[in-house]
Amino acid sequence: MSRALTLGFAAFALSGCVVAVGNQSAAPVALATVSGVPAGMQYLYGSGEAAAASRQAYAGLVRYVNQYLRDRTTLRRMPLSAVLAANATLAQPAQWPCTGKPAVVFDVDETVLLNTGYEYSDARGGLGYDAARWERWERSDGRATRAVPGAVEGLAALRAAGVTVVFNTNRNAATAEFTEGVLNRAGLGPAKHGETLFLKGDAPGGSGKDARRALIASRYCVVALVGDQLGDFSDLFNTGLKPVERRAAADSPAIAPLWGNGWFVLPNPVYGTALAGDFDDVFPNDLRWTDPGARKE
Ligand SMILES: [Mg+2]
Protein backbone atom coordinates (compact mmCIF):
# COMPACT_ATOMS: atom_id res chain seq x y z
CA MET A 1 0.00 0.00 0.00
CA SER A 2 1.29 3.43 -0.70
CA ARG A 3 -0.17 5.62 1.91
CA ALA A 4 1.68 8.35 3.61
CA LEU A 5 1.57 10.37 6.69
CA THR A 6 -1.02 10.53 9.35
CA LEU A 7 -1.60 13.73 11.22
CA GLY A 8 -0.95 14.80 14.73
CA PHE A 9 -2.98 17.51 16.41
CA ALA A 10 -1.02 18.70 19.39
CA ALA A 11 -3.93 20.83 20.54
CA PHE A 12 -6.13 17.87 21.39
CA ALA A 13 -5.87 15.20 23.99
CA LEU A 14 -3.57 12.60 22.58
CA SER A 15 -3.82 8.99 23.35
CA GLY A 16 -2.13 6.26 21.43
CA CYS A 17 0.27 6.49 18.56
CA VAL A 18 -1.34 5.25 15.43
CA VAL A 19 -0.22 5.13 11.87
CA ALA A 20 -2.97 3.95 9.67
CA VAL A 21 -3.34 1.69 6.67
CA GLY A 22 -0.36 1.29 4.48
CA ASN A 23 1.48 4.27 5.82
CA GLN A 24 5.04 3.89 4.61
CA SER A 25 6.35 6.24 7.20
CA ALA A 26 8.14 4.23 9.85
CA ALA A 27 7.52 6.57 12.75
CA PRO A 28 4.12 6.42 14.45
CA VAL A 29 2.35 9.75 14.74
CA ALA A 30 0.14 10.77 17.64
CA LEU A 31 -3.44 11.24 16.49
CA ALA A 32 -6.16 13.47 17.84
CA THR A 33 -8.67 11.36 19.68
CA VAL A 34 -12.13 11.85 21.07
CA SER A 35 -13.31 9.26 23.60
CA GLY A 36 -10.15 7.34 22.79
CA VAL A 37 -10.95 6.98 19.09
CA PRO A 38 -8.86 8.85 16.51
CA ALA A 39 -11.06 11.67 15.23
CA GLY A 40 -10.55 10.78 11.56
CA MET A 41 -11.71 7.24 12.22
CA GLN A 42 -14.76 8.51 14.07
CA TYR A 43 -15.61 10.60 11.05
CA LEU A 44 -14.99 8.03 8.32
CA TYR A 45 -16.21 4.83 9.96
CA GLY A 46 -18.66 6.18 12.49
CA SER A 47 -20.38 9.30 11.26
CA GLY A 48 -23.54 9.96 9.29
CA GLU A 49 -21.74 12.88 7.67
CA ALA A 50 -19.17 10.58 6.05
CA ALA A 51 -21.89 8.23 4.85
CA ALA A 52 -23.69 11.22 3.32
CA ALA A 53 -20.53 12.56 1.65
CA SER A 54 -19.82 9.14 0.15
CA ARG A 55 -23.39 8.79 -1.13
CA GLN A 56 -23.08 12.26 -2.62
CA ALA A 57 -19.90 11.33 -4.49
CA TYR A 58 -21.43 8.15 -5.88
CA ALA A 59 -24.65 9.90 -6.94
CA GLY A 60 -22.60 12.53 -8.77
CA LEU A 61 -20.51 9.85 -10.44
CA VAL A 62 -23.48 7.88 -11.73
CA ARG A 63 -25.20 11.04 -12.96
CA TYR A 64 -22.02 12.16 -14.73
CA VAL A 65 -21.43 8.80 -16.42
CA ASN A 66 -25.03 8.52 -17.59
CA GLN A 67 -24.80 12.01 -19.05
CA TYR A 68 -21.53 11.09 -20.75
CA LEU A 69 -23.10 8.01 -22.30
CA ARG A 70 -26.13 10.00 -23.47
CA ASP A 71 -23.92 12.64 -25.05
CA ARG A 72 -21.88 10.01 -26.78
CA THR A 73 -24.98 8.45 -28.29
CA THR A 74 -27.09 11.48 -29.06
CA LEU A 75 -24.45 14.05 -29.87
CA ARG A 76 -21.92 11.55 -31.21
CA ARG A 77 -19.51 13.46 -29.05
CA MET A 78 -16.48 11.60 -27.82
CA PRO A 79 -15.19 13.42 -24.74
CA LEU A 80 -11.64 12.92 -23.61
CA SER A 81 -10.59 10.19 -21.22
CA ALA A 82 -10.40 10.90 -17.51
CA VAL A 83 -6.83 9.55 -17.66
CA LEU A 84 -4.16 12.17 -18.24
CA ALA A 85 -1.82 11.75 -21.20
CA ALA A 86 1.82 10.79 -20.75
CA ASN A 87 2.96 14.33 -21.53
CA ALA A 88 0.48 15.96 -19.16
CA THR A 89 1.54 18.40 -16.48
CA LEU A 90 -0.53 19.83 -13.65
CA ALA A 91 -0.52 23.15 -15.49
CA GLN A 92 -1.52 21.51 -18.76
CA PRO A 93 -3.37 18.28 -17.93
CA ALA A 94 -3.68 16.83 -21.42
CA GLN A 95 -5.99 13.82 -21.60
CA TRP A 96 -5.77 10.58 -23.55
CA PRO A 97 -8.15 10.19 -26.48
CA CYS A 98 -11.08 8.08 -25.34
CA THR A 99 -11.45 4.87 -27.32
CA GLY A 100 -13.01 1.51 -26.66
CA LYS A 101 -15.70 0.29 -24.29
CA PRO A 102 -16.60 2.66 -21.46
CA ALA A 103 -15.10 1.94 -18.05
CA VAL A 104 -14.80 3.66 -14.69
CA VAL A 105 -11.60 3.10 -12.70
CA PHE A 106 -11.86 2.85 -8.92
CA ASP A 107 -9.27 2.77 -6.22
CA VAL A 108 -10.21 0.14 -3.60
CA ASP A 109 -9.25 1.12 -0.04
CA GLU A 110 -11.47 3.82 1.43
CA THR A 111 -12.92 4.35 -2.04
CA VAL A 112 -15.13 1.29 -2.49
CA LEU A 113 -14.11 -0.59 0.66
CA LEU A 114 -13.79 0.57 4.26
CA ASN A 115 -10.97 -1.15 6.15
CA THR A 116 -12.70 -0.77 9.48
CA GLY A 117 -11.22 -3.94 10.98
CA TYR A 118 -7.65 -3.03 10.13
CA GLU A 119 -8.06 0.47 11.49
CA TYR A 120 -9.53 -0.98 14.66
CA SER A 121 -6.33 -2.96 15.12
CA ASP A 122 -4.27 0.18 14.52
CA ALA A 123 -6.31 2.21 16.98
CA ARG A 124 -6.43 -0.48 19.64
CA GLY A 125 -2.78 -1.38 19.43
CA GLY A 126 -1.35 2.06 18.83
CA LEU A 127 0.50 0.50 15.96
CA GLY A 128 2.59 1.97 13.19
CA TYR A 129 2.64 0.75 9.62
CA ASP A 130 4.06 -2.71 9.15
CA ALA A 131 4.13 -4.17 5.65
CA ALA A 132 3.87 -7.75 6.94
CA ARG A 133 0.84 -6.91 9.09
CA TRP A 134 -0.84 -5.15 6.18
CA GLU A 135 -0.22 -8.20 4.01
CA ARG A 136 -1.87 -10.39 6.65
CA TRP A 137 -4.85 -8.04 6.46
CA GLU A 138 -4.88 -8.34 2.66
CA ARG A 139 -5.02 -12.11 3.13
CA SER A 140 -7.85 -11.94 5.65
CA ASP A 141 -11.38 -12.98 4.71
CA GLY A 142 -12.82 -9.49 4.52
CA ARG A 143 -15.44 -9.97 7.25
CA ALA A 144 -14.20 -6.83 9.00
CA THR A 145 -14.69 -4.65 5.93
CA ARG A 146 -17.74 -2.88 4.60
CA ALA A 147 -18.52 -1.32 1.25
CA VAL A 148 -18.36 2.46 1.22
CA PRO A 149 -21.93 3.83 1.42
CA GLY A 150 -23.26 4.18 -2.11
CA ALA A 151 -20.58 2.01 -3.71
CA VAL A 152 -22.59 -1.19 -4.15
CA GLU A 153 -25.52 0.64 -5.71
CA GLY A 154 -23.28 2.94 -7.75
CA LEU A 155 -21.20 0.15 -9.24
CA ALA A 156 -24.35 -1.85 -10.01
CA ALA A 157 -25.88 1.17 -11.79
CA LEU A 158 -22.75 1.64 -13.89
CA ARG A 159 -22.63 -2.01 -14.85
CA ALA A 160 -26.33 -1.92 -15.75
CA ALA A 161 -25.55 0.99 -18.08
CA GLY A 162 -22.93 -1.11 -19.87
CA VAL A 163 -19.89 0.37 -18.15
CA THR A 164 -17.04 -1.90 -17.06
CA VAL A 165 -15.94 -1.40 -13.46
CA VAL A 166 -12.15 -1.60 -13.15
CA PHE A 167 -10.19 -1.50 -9.88
CA ASN A 168 -6.69 0.00 -9.70
CA THR A 169 -5.30 -0.49 -6.20
CA ASN A 170 -1.96 -0.64 -4.44
CA ARG A 171 -2.83 -3.92 -2.81
CA ASN A 172 -0.23 -6.43 -3.95
CA ALA A 173 -0.37 -8.68 -7.00
CA ALA A 174 0.81 -11.54 -4.77
CA THR A 175 -2.48 -11.43 -2.85
CA ALA A 176 -4.71 -10.96 -5.91
CA GLU A 177 -7.05 -13.86 -5.17
CA PHE A 178 -7.78 -12.49 -1.70
CA THR A 179 -8.54 -9.02 -3.02
CA GLU A 180 -10.84 -10.54 -5.62
CA GLY A 181 -12.58 -12.41 -2.82
CA VAL A 182 -12.95 -9.40 -0.54
CA LEU A 183 -14.42 -7.26 -3.33
CA ASN A 184 -16.80 -9.99 -4.39
CA ARG A 185 -17.86 -10.66 -0.81
CA ALA A 186 -18.63 -6.98 -0.26
CA GLY A 187 -20.94 -6.96 -3.28
CA LEU A 188 -18.52 -4.88 -5.35
CA GLY A 189 -17.39 -7.53 -7.81
CA PRO A 190 -16.82 -9.09 -10.18
CA ALA A 191 -13.13 -8.34 -9.86
CA LYS A 192 -10.75 -10.42 -11.96
CA HIS A 193 -7.02 -9.88 -11.76
CA GLY A 194 -5.56 -8.67 -15.06
CA GLU A 195 -8.99 -7.94 -16.50
CA THR A 196 -10.90 -5.74 -14.08
CA LEU A 197 -8.43 -5.69 -11.18
CA PHE A 198 -4.96 -4.11 -11.41
CA LEU A 199 -2.55 -4.31 -8.50
CA LYS A 200 0.86 -3.13 -7.43
CA GLY A 201 3.32 -5.16 -9.51
CA ASP A 202 1.10 -5.37 -12.58
CA ALA A 203 2.96 -2.53 -14.30
CA PRO A 204 6.15 -0.56 -13.68
CA GLY A 205 6.14 2.30 -11.22
CA GLY A 206 5.63 0.58 -7.88
CA SER A 207 2.99 2.44 -5.91
CA GLY A 208 2.55 4.96 -8.70
CA LYS A 209 -0.64 4.28 -10.60
CA ASP A 210 -0.02 6.08 -13.90
CA ALA A 211 1.44 3.05 -15.68
CA ARG A 212 -1.54 0.92 -14.67
CA ARG A 213 -3.92 3.74 -15.65
CA ALA A 214 -2.25 3.90 -19.09
CA LEU A 215 -2.62 0.13 -19.44
CA ILE A 216 -6.32 0.32 -18.56
CA ALA A 217 -6.82 3.31 -20.87
CA SER A 218 -5.32 1.29 -23.73
CA ARG A 219 -8.18 -1.20 -23.31
CA TYR A 220 -11.10 1.02 -22.35
CA CYS A 221 -12.52 4.47 -22.70
CA VAL A 222 -12.03 5.58 -19.09
CA VAL A 223 -15.01 7.81 -18.42
CA ALA A 224 -14.18 8.55 -14.79
CA LEU A 225 -11.59 8.00 -12.06
CA VAL A 226 -12.67 7.54 -8.45
CA GLY A 227 -10.39 7.62 -5.41
CA ASP A 228 -9.62 8.98 -1.96
CA GLN A 229 -6.04 10.14 -2.67
CA LEU A 230 -4.81 12.52 -5.37
CA GLY A 231 -2.54 9.72 -6.61
CA ASP A 232 -5.71 7.90 -7.64
CA PHE A 233 -6.03 10.54 -10.36
CA SER A 234 -2.45 11.33 -11.38
CA ASP A 235 1.02 10.57 -10.07
CA LEU A 236 1.86 14.21 -10.86
CA PHE A 237 0.43 15.12 -7.46
CA ASN A 238 3.04 12.91 -5.78
CA THR A 239 6.22 14.46 -7.08
CA GLY A 240 7.44 16.05 -3.89
CA LEU A 241 5.05 18.99 -3.80
CA LYS A 242 4.66 20.76 -0.49
CA PRO A 243 1.16 20.59 1.01
CA VAL A 244 0.34 24.16 -0.01
CA GLU A 245 1.55 23.52 -3.56
CA ARG A 246 -0.45 20.34 -3.75
CA ARG A 247 -3.60 22.05 -2.57
CA ALA A 248 -3.03 24.89 -5.02
CA ALA A 249 -2.56 22.40 -7.86
CA ALA A 250 -5.77 20.52 -7.00
CA ASP A 251 -7.65 23.82 -6.94
CA SER A 252 -5.93 25.42 -9.94
CA PRO A 253 -7.82 26.64 -13.03
CA ALA A 254 -6.42 23.71 -15.04
CA ILE A 255 -7.32 20.94 -12.57
CA ALA A 256 -10.36 22.25 -10.69
CA PRO A 257 -12.85 21.65 -13.52
CA LEU A 258 -12.10 17.91 -13.41
CA TRP A 259 -13.59 17.43 -9.94
CA GLY A 260 -17.11 16.15 -10.38
CA ASN A 261 -16.51 16.02 -14.13
CA GLY A 262 -14.54 12.82 -14.60
CA TRP A 263 -12.69 12.86 -11.29
CA PHE A 264 -14.62 11.92 -8.14
CA VAL A 265 -13.06 11.97 -4.69
CA LEU A 266 -14.17 10.21 -1.50
CA PRO A 267 -13.45 11.51 2.00
CA ASN A 268 -10.55 10.04 3.96
CA PRO A 269 -9.35 11.84 7.08
CA VAL A 270 -7.80 8.64 8.49
CA TYR A 271 -4.56 8.26 6.54
CA GLY A 272 -2.83 9.23 3.36
CA THR A 273 -1.28 12.07 1.47
CA ALA A 274 -3.88 14.59 2.60
CA LEU A 275 -2.61 14.47 6.15
CA ALA A 276 0.49 16.62 5.93
CA GLY A 277 1.43 20.16 6.72
CA ASP A 278 2.47 22.13 9.76
CA PHE A 279 0.84 25.20 11.32
CA ASP A 280 2.27 27.51 8.65
CA ASP A 281 0.93 25.29 5.86
CA VAL A 282 -2.54 24.90 7.32
CA PHE A 283 -2.95 28.40 8.77
CA PRO A 284 -1.24 30.91 6.44
CA ASN A 285 -0.38 34.31 7.88
CA ASP A 286 -3.30 36.12 6.30
CA LEU A 287 -5.82 33.66 7.72
CA ARG A 288 -5.05 33.99 11.40
CA TRP A 289 -7.26 35.54 14.02
CA THR A 290 -6.40 36.20 17.60
CA ASP A 291 -9.32 36.64 19.97
CA PRO A 292 -9.08 40.24 21.34
CA GLY A 293 -11.13 39.09 24.29
CA ALA A 294 -8.70 36.37 25.25
CA ARG A 295 -7.16 36.81 28.67
CA LYS A 296 -3.57 38.00 28.52
CA GLU A 297 -1.28 35.75 30.47
MG1 LIG B 1 -7.53 4.51 -1.24
Side-chain angles (χ1 to χ4, degrees):
M1 307 302 295
S2 73
R3 323 291 182 75
L5 300 176
T6 48
L7 179 61
F9 295 95
F12 292 93
L14 302 177
S15 81
C17 291
V18 179
V19 170
V21 175
N23 190 331
Q24 293 186 326
S25 161
V29 177
L31 294 180
T33 65
V34 181
S35 304
V37 182
M41 295 187 196
Q42 284 183 319
Y43 180 84
L44 191 57
Y45 305 121
S47 81
E49 283 82 352
S54 301
R55 289 269 170 194
Q56 186 171 267
Y58 274 99
L61 168 70
V62 171
R63 192 179 305 121
Y64 173 81
V65 173
N66 282 332
Q67 182 66 49
Y68 182 108
L69 296 175
R70 272 198 298 276
D71 286 356
R72 194 160 89 159
T73 307
T74 59
L75 306 178
R76 298 195 178 284
R77 195 170 74 194
M78 185 62 83
L80 296 170
S81 166
V83 175
L84 299 188
N87 63 351
T89 64
L90 290 174
Q92 293 190 308
Q95 292 163 262
W96 294 103
C98 208
T99 56
K101 279 170 52 69
V104 173
V105 178
F106 293 84
D107 169 53
V108 169
D109 296 305
E110 277 57 48
T111 294
V112 297
L113 199 68
L114 296 175
N115 290 289
T116 314
Y118 179 86
E119 296 299 341
Y120 164 81
S121 75
D122 260 11
R124 263 292 175 227
L127 300 171
Y129 177 66
D130 175 337
R133 195 165 69 89
W134 174 257
E135 183 169 332
R136 290 194 291 279
W137 169 250
E138 284 191 7
R139 292 179 184 278
S140 68
D141 64 9
R143 283 174 203 276
T145 64
R146 286 290 180 274
V148 168
V152 170
E153 298 88 340
L155 270 57
L158 295 176
R159 289 183 173 115
V163 174
T164 301
V165 169
V166 179
F167 302 100
N168 181 9
T169 168
N170 281 334
R171 290 187 178 217
N172 291 295
T175 58
E177 65 189 282
F178 294 92
T179 299
E180 288 177 351
V182 167
L183 289 168
N184 292 332
R185 182 191 177 99
L188 298 160
K192 185 135 182 42
H193 186 206
E195 295 180 14
T196 55
L197 173 63
F198 294 84
L199 299 152
K200 187 157 74 177
D202 286 346
S207 296
K209 290 185 167 181
D210 278 352
R212 277 174 266 149
R213 270 189 287 269
L215 178 62
I216 296 163
S218 73
R219 300 184 188 179
Y220 295 98
C221 166
V222 179
V223 180
L225 299 171
V226 188
D228 66 301
Q229 311 282 325
L230 293 185
D232 295 328
F233 305 93
S234 171
D235 291 345
L236 292 169
F237 292 108
N238 294 335
T239 52
L241 297 179
K242 294 175 184 161
V244 288
E245 295 169 338
R246 215 160 166 276
R247 183 175 171 95
D251 203 29
S252 67
I255 297 294
L258 290 165
W259 302 115
N261 293 295
W263 289 7
F264 293 83
V265 69
L266 276 296
N268 184 357
V270 175
Y271 62 82
T273 45
L275 303 186
D278 58 20
F279 258 90
D280 288 340
D281 295 317
V282 177
F283 305 109
N285 272 332
D286 59 338
L287 291 174
R288 293 180 178 184
W289 179 72
T290 303
D291 180 5
R295 263 207 332 234
K296 302 268 190 307
E297 294 299 327

